[in-house]
């Protein structure tokens, strides 16, 4: 929700706060709020696609500070959109603003508060690894957070202005005053210095009845109530007390409310001030104000049983949504193991896409991953010629609503949403790999945790527009495989470099593909292991790698000098190159006669030809080395008859080792030439 200008107003009256030494307590945390606070207030890079490793470290330090003070954190996250669309106008306006901010950040390199696409996933993964209790609500979390804090009689940690209105027994700890990085000692006990807020202090300072605070919020205007749009706004500043230094809108409203005891009489008096309204419009204003006040009335907590016993809360029983969300999804949704985007698709037939820092002249980065989302829509909605999902994406600098039809074919036709969790693992894996266009056999040579990111990279390398060059691919694979020994050495080199438009767009497309693939993987019950995002992609790093290569500098000084890292790098490149070659090069009549099976690969001669033809498509100075190294990696990965090849190779290698020790050393380090 959010009361416009309230936090700034309260900050101008610091006497409302009290000093607190916070320790030995439960703490209910507004998770969606904390994500933004930690990322933006830390100075982490916003414009290169995310500093996820640094963000992970920051989250770890935050939780460590709480535990050092014997504080038990409970994190509650926002979920899907409200199915009543009460905030539709506000949400749409914020999306339009983000598009403009993302473009400005791409043009001038400034910080516009654009959260990287996968930051929330890093947050959730890190908390899960640290065994911090996390719950995701089915819709907006504010009421659930306040209800839980009220029943546990513990404070809320947030910077959302609505928590200045909720009647919370233990009050609010504003994040901006929560000095978690400055833990102090009192005897043997550690504590976090912070400020505390309680509505009693607010009401005492402004001499207002506490039951009138929801009325104050509604008349001041929040995300649900916009009186100026109804030609019914009032100039509250005129009611500010004489001699007031600020004479602000909120101060005037509070002074006006002092004479009332109950909300209803204040609302009736406010309607009297709105002159010239028709009966119909006055009724609309009255309904809007009542709706805005209802948001501060707290129902019993539905999350307490989840945190105590692991029981998922019941889904809302409104008739219009009954039966649309399968029972088996409730628990993984609440555990944040399943994206709540599926709720928007099931309940509203809508998907709101992200707007990373990208130049407005470039097409939306989400277009590349649309076929992946279409598979997810098909699983959620099934077949039907009239079905479509409204995707909220950008077209240039404008917000656009695109009807997108589900894809429902192949193995997916055999699966039903109500029993998707019980489908055969092999079927679910087929659907996921089919969406990405790769085979299980092609990934078998890789560690399990890299199956999904490499499959996504194959998909991206084939579909991204404009087609990524080999420098972009190498930088990405180096980051994925963690082959760099000194990440900071690369990042600090030209660390303030403004992102190149095409480079940023290419990596935005990759992140969008990865995000949608992870969501599809979650819906299918994790047929592939979910990768650790904090170790998979580092925006400033991959941008610097591209810049380093394009400026002619060698990467050897930054790479781990061990054979396993080079081997893994080669392996991933060869898998991706083979995929690209097979897609780009027409199948010959010879290969048509001898189709490959999961244990058969292209003959080495055919693979070499395919790779050579693929690299001709690119003007790259390392073409020859790439081909040689990829073929060697292909040999190691059983793309040919491994036994016969190794027999010949080992015999030759032993002879060469005896005759030429230097050659043996070079062979041991084979693969570094391509770096």
């Amino acid at each position: 929700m959010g009361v416009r200008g309230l936090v700034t107003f309260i900050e101008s009256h610091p006497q409302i706060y009290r000093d607190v030494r916070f320790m030995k307590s439960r703490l209910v945390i507004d998770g969606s709020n904390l994500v933004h606070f930690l990322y933006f207030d830390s100075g982490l890079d916003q414009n290169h696609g995310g500093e996820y490793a640094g963000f992970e470290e920051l989250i770890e330090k935050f939780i460590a500070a709480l535990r050092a003070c014997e504080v038990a954190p409970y994190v509650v996250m926002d979920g899907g959109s409200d199915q009543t669309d009460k905030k539709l106008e506000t949400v749409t306006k914020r999306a339009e603003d983000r598009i403009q901010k993302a473009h400005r950040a791409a043009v001038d390199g400034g910080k516009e508060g654009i959260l990287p696409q996968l930051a929330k996933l890093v947050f959730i993964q890190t908390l899960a690894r640290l065994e911090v209790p996390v719950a995701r609500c089915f819709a907006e979390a504010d009421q659930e957070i306040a209800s839980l804090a009220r029943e546990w009689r513990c404070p809320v940690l947030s910077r959302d202005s609505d928590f200045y209105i909720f009647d919370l027994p233990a009050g609010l700890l504003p994040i901006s005053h929560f000095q978690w990085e400055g833990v102090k000692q009192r005897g043997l006990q550690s504590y976090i210095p912070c400020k505390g807020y309680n509505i009693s202090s607010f009401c005492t300072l402004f001499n207002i009845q506490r039951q009138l605070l929801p009325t104050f919020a509604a008349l001041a205007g929040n995300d649900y109530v916009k009186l100026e749009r109804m030609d019914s706004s009032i100039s509250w500043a005129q009611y500010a007390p004489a001699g007031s230094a600020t004479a602000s809108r909120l101060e005037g409203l509070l002074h006006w409310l002092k004479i009332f005891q109950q909300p209803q009489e204040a609302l009736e008096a406010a309607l009297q001030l709105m002159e010239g309204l028709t009966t119909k419009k006055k009724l609309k204003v009255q309904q809007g104000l009542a709706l805005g006040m209802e948001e501060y009335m707290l129902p019993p907590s539905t999350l307490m049983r989840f945190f105590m016993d692991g029981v998922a809360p019941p889904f809302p029983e409104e008739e219009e949504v009954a039966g649309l969300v399968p029972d088996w999804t409730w628990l993984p949704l609440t555990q944040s193991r399943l994206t709540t985007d599926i709720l928007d698709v099931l309940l509203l037939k809508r998907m709101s896409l992200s707007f990373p820092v990208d130049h407005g002249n470039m097409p939306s980065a989400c277009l590349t991953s649309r076929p992946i989302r279409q598979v997810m829509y098909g699983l959620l909605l099934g077949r039907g010629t009239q079905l479509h999902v409204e995707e909220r994406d950008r077209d240039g600098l404008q917000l656009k609503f695109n009807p997108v039809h589900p894809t429902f074919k192949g193995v997916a036709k055999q699966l039903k949403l109500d029993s998707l969790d019980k489908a055969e693992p092999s079927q679910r894996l087929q659907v996921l790999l089919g969406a990405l266009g790769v085979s299980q056999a092609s990934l078998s040579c890789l560690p399990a945790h890299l199956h999904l990111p490499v499959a996504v990279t194959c998909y991206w390398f084939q579909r991204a527009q404009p087609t990524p060059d080999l420098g972009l691919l190498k930088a990405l694979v180096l980051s994925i495989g963690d082959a760099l020994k000194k990440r900071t050495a690369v990042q600090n080199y030209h660390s303030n470099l403004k992102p190149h438009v095409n480079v940023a767009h290419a990596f935005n497309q990759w992140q969008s593909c990865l995000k949608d693939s992870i969501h599809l993987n979650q819906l299918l019950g994790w047929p592939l292991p979910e990768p650790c995002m904090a170790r998979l992609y580092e925006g400033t790093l991959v941008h610097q790698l591209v810049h380093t290569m394009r400026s002619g500098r060698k990467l050897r000084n930054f790479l781990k000098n061990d054979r396993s890292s080079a081997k893994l790098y080669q392996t991933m490149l060869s898998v991706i190159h083979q995929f690209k070659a097979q897609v780009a090069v027409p199948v010959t009549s010879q290969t048509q006669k001898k189709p490959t099976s999961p244990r058969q690969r292209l003959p080495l001669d055919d693979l070499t030809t395919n790779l050579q033809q693929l690299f001709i498509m690119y003007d790259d100075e390392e073409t020859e080395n790439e081909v040689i190294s990829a073929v060697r990696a292909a040999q190691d990965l059983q793309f040919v008859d491994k036994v016969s090849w190794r027999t010949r190779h080992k015999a030759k290698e032993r002879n060469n080792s005896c005759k030429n020790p230097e050659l043996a050393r070079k062979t041991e380090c084979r693969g570094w030439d391509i770096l």
Side-chain angles (χ1 to χ4, degrees):
M1 293 179 282
V3 181
R4 289 171 291 165
L6 180 57
V7 174
T8 302
F9 177 72
I10 289 179
E11 291 293 324
S12 68
H13 296 80
Q15 63 269 39
I16 292 177
Y17 295 127
R18 70 186 192 283
D19 291 326
V20 174
R21 294 176 174 178
F22 189 59
M23 57 184 174
K24 292 187 175 181
S25 172
R26 285 173 172 158
L27 180 64
V28 181
I29 299 175
D30 180 351
S32 302
N33 209 271
L34 181 62
V35 169
H36 290 80
F37 174 78
L38 286 180
Y39 198 94
F40 294 142
D41 284 33
S42 65
L44 291 172
D45 181 84
Q46 300 176 18
N47 296 342
H48 293 79
E51 284 190 73
Y52 297 135
F55 188 40
E56 177 191 49
E57 184 179 354
L58 200 64
I59 298 164
E60 292 171 345
K61 290 179 179 178
F62 178 81
I63 298 302
L66 296 183
R67 288 174 170 168
C69 302
E70 299 182 48
V71 173
Y74 293 84
V75 179
V76 183
M77 306 282 291
D78 285 326
S81 303
D82 191 296
Q83 60 262 25
T84 64
D85 270 345
K86 292 181 291 189
K87 288 181 62 175
L88 181 59
E89 182 182 347
T90 299
V91 170
T92 300
K93 179 64 169 62
R94 287 176 180 171
E96 292 170 342
D97 290 343
R98 278 196 296 272
I99 291 173
Q100 299 295 327
K101 289 179 179 179
H103 173 69
R104 286 199 301 269
V107 171
D108 60 29
K111 292 186 177 181
E112 294 284 350
I114 303 296
L115 193 70
Q117 293 186 73
L118 296 167
K120 289 184 180 179
L121 180 60
V122 172
F123 182 72
I124 290 168
Q125 286 184 341
T126 306
L127 293 182
R129 179 170 54 78
L130 297 174
E131 299 182 348
V132 175
V134 180
R136 192 188 287 274
C137 298
F138 295 136
E140 192 172 75
D142 285 4
Q143 277 192 331
E144 289 292 347
I145 292 170
S147 296
L148 185 64
R150 182 187 63 179
E151 295 189 24
W152 276 347
R153 304 188 73 81
C154 70
V156 167
L157 181 69
S158 179
R159 71 194 310 181
D160 193 310
S161 57
D162 284 314
F163 291 104
Y164 289 91
I165 304 298
F166 286 117
D167 192 350
L168 304 174
L172 169 71
L173 302 179
I175 286 184
S176 54
H177 295 286
F178 194 71
Q179 301 175 49
W180 65 272
E181 294 180 284
V183 173
K184 296 186 181 300
Q185 293 287 131
R186 185 176 64 178
L188 298 177
Q189 179 64 53
S190 299
Y191 68 89
I192 297 175
C194 56
K195 300 285 186 182
Y197 167 89
N198 195 289
I199 64 170
S200 298
S201 300
F202 184 92
C203 293
T204 298
L205 181 63
F206 295 104
N207 193 23
I208 183 177
Q209 301 296 319
R210 63 194 302 137
Q211 63 266 24
L212 289 175
L213 280 185
T215 310
F216 162 70
L219 289 172
N222 58 25
D223 289 346
Y224 296 114
V225 184
K226 291 181 169 46
L227 297 179
E228 69 275 8
R229 298 292 180 87
M230 305 173 187
D231 300 323
S232 53
S233 59
I234 303 170
S235 178
W236 294 114
Q238 64 181 307
Y239 297 102
S244 171
T246 57
S248 69
R249 170 179 61 93
L250 296 180
E251 188 173 12
L253 174 57
L254 286 167
H255 191 71
W256 180 81
L257 282 170
K258 286 167 60 174
I259 63 174
F260 301 103
Q261 297 295 314
Q262 297 299 325
Q264 190 57 39
E265 59 176 321
L267 285 180
E268 291 175 359
L271 288 171
Q272 294 293 326
L273 297 176
M274 301 175 191
E275 299 176 352
L277 293 181
T278 63
T279 303
K280 182 178 180 181
K281 188 165 285 189
K282 184 172 288 190
L283 179 61
K284 186 178 180 180
V285 171
Q286 195 169 9
Q287 291 173 339
L289 291 170
L291 181 64
M293 292 171 59
E294 282 177 13
E295 296 303 317
Y296 301 102
M297 305 297 110
L298 298 180
S301 172
T302 64
L303 290 181
M304 184 182 292
R305 282 200 66 201
F306 169 74
F307 280 125
M308 295 295 98
D309 305 318
V311 178
F315 203 78
E317 298 179 354
E318 287 87 343
E319 183 178 346
E320 61 270 19
V321 302
L324 293 179
V325 182
D327 294 359
W328 68 265
T329 65
W330 296 0
L331 185 58
L333 281 168
T334 309
Q335 293 171 327
S336 294
R337 300 176 71 235
L338 187 59
T339 175
T340 51
D341 285 347
I342 72 168
L343 297 179
D344 286 5
V345 175
L346 290 171
L347 303 179
L348 300 170
K349 306 296 188 294
R350 183 186 302 155
M351 173 69 86
S352 296
L353 303 179
S354 57
F355 308 116
V357 173
D358 212 352
H359 198 286
N361 290 341
M362 304 299 289
S364 167
C366 299
L367 291 175
T368 307
S369 58
R370 178 181 286 177
I372 302 172
R373 294 193 299 276
Q374 288 178 282
V375 173
M376 186 171 73
Y377 301 157
L379 291 170
L380 293 171
L381 302 177
R383 58 170 59 86
T385 56
Q386 302 302 315
L387 286 174
H388 72 268
V389 175
E390 181 187 74
E391 288 194 342
R392 301 189 163 202
D393 202 356
R394 72 170 181 86
D395 183 6
L397 294 178
Q398 302 300 315
L399 185 65
K400 188 175 182 180
F401 308 142
N402 302 309
V404 176
H405 293 279
T407 297
F408 197 69
K409 59 185 180 182
V411 178
K413 289 183 177 180
Q414 304 171 29
L415 306 179
K416 295 186 181 298
L417 180 62
D418 287 342
S419 58
L420 186 58
D421 59 320
K422 297 181 176 62
E424 288 295 325
S426 60
Q427 289 182 308
R428 290 184 269 129
L429 180 60
Q430 274 186 274
V431 173
L432 177 62
L433 295 181
L436 296 173
V438 299
S439 67
Q440 185 177 3
S442 65
L443 302 174
S444 61
C445 53
L446 296 167
H449 71 280
L450 291 178
H451 284 187
L452 185 58
V454 171
V456 168
T457 306
C458 288
Y459 174 95
W460 164 82
F461 198 47
Q462 171 63 24
R463 290 179 174 266
Q465 293 295 328
T467 303
D469 60 42
L470 291 178
L472 293 173
L473 177 63
K474 288 181 186 180
L476 195 55
V477 173
L478 281 169
S479 179
I480 291 173
D482 196 25
L484 295 152
K485 62 183 177 182
K486 294 181 179 179
R487 286 174 171 260
T488 54
V490 183
Q491 288 170 294
N492 291 337
Y493 179 70
H494 288 302
S495 59
N496 295 321
L497 189 71
K498 189 170 72 172
H500 186 278
V501 172
N502 288 335
V503 175
H505 185 64
F507 291 140
N508 285 340
Q509 291 177 88
W510 183 83
Q511 284 206 66
S512 180
C513 292
L514 182 62
K515 179 181 178 182
D516 289 331
S517 298
I518 287 174
H519 289 169
L520 178 58
N521 191 45
Q522 291 174 347
L523 179 62
L524 289 165
W526 305 277
L528 290 180
E530 187 166 288
C532 175
M533 276 310 310
R535 294 289 176 264
L536 199 63
Y537 180 86
E538 195 74 5
T540 51
L541 174 70
V542 293
H543 279 262
Q544 298 305 336
L545 286 172
V546 173
H547 179 79
T548 299
M549 285 185 281
R550 289 182 174 179
S551 62
R553 298 180 75 230
K554 299 297 183 183
L555 295 179
R556 293 183 184 180
N557 294 334
F558 302 126
L559 299 170
K560 293 178 180 177
N561 192 19
D562 64 85
R563 190 171 62 170
S564 62
S565 296
K567 185 77 168 181
L568 183 58
Y569 172 83
Q570 283 182 293
T571 302
M572 290 191 289
L573 270 185
S574 63
V575 169
I576 297 163
H577 284 328
Q578 184 203 17
F579 171 82
K580 181 79 171 181
Q582 290 177 333
V583 171
V585 179
V587 180
T588 65
S589 58
Q590 183 179 3
T591 56
Q592 286 176 339
K593 294 177 183 177
K594 298 180 180 180
T596 57
S597 69
R599 294 190 176 274
Q600 291 177 312
R601 307 293 194 272
L602 284 174
L604 183 57
D605 292 343
D606 289 349
L607 177 58
T608 305
T609 302
N610 285 356
L611 288 169
Q612 288 171 338
Q613 292 185 42
L614 171 65
F615 293 137
I616 287 172
M617 297 163 57
Y618 300 95
D619 181 17
D620 188 276
E621 61 183 7
E622 298 181 9
T623 296
E624 183 177 357
N625 284 338
E626 289 284 3
V627 173
I628 294 171
S629 298
V631 171
R632 285 174 175 169
Q635 292 170 334
D636 290 341
L637 300 177
Q638 300 181 345
F639 289 143
V640 294
D641 186 341
K642 193 170 186 178
V643 175
S644 62
W645 178 81
R646 277 195 171 177
T647 301
R648 296 192 304 271
H649 174 74
K650 289 296 182 183
K652 183 178 180 180
E653 185 178 40
R654 283 194 297 271
N655 291 334
N656 288 336
S657 297
C658 295
K659 296 176 182 178
N660 191 341
E662 179 62 19
L663 177 61
R665 186 191 65 78
K666 290 181 178 179
T667 302
E668 183 76 7
C669 297
R670 189 180 68 197
W672 287 93
D673 57 333
I674 69 170
L675 300 177

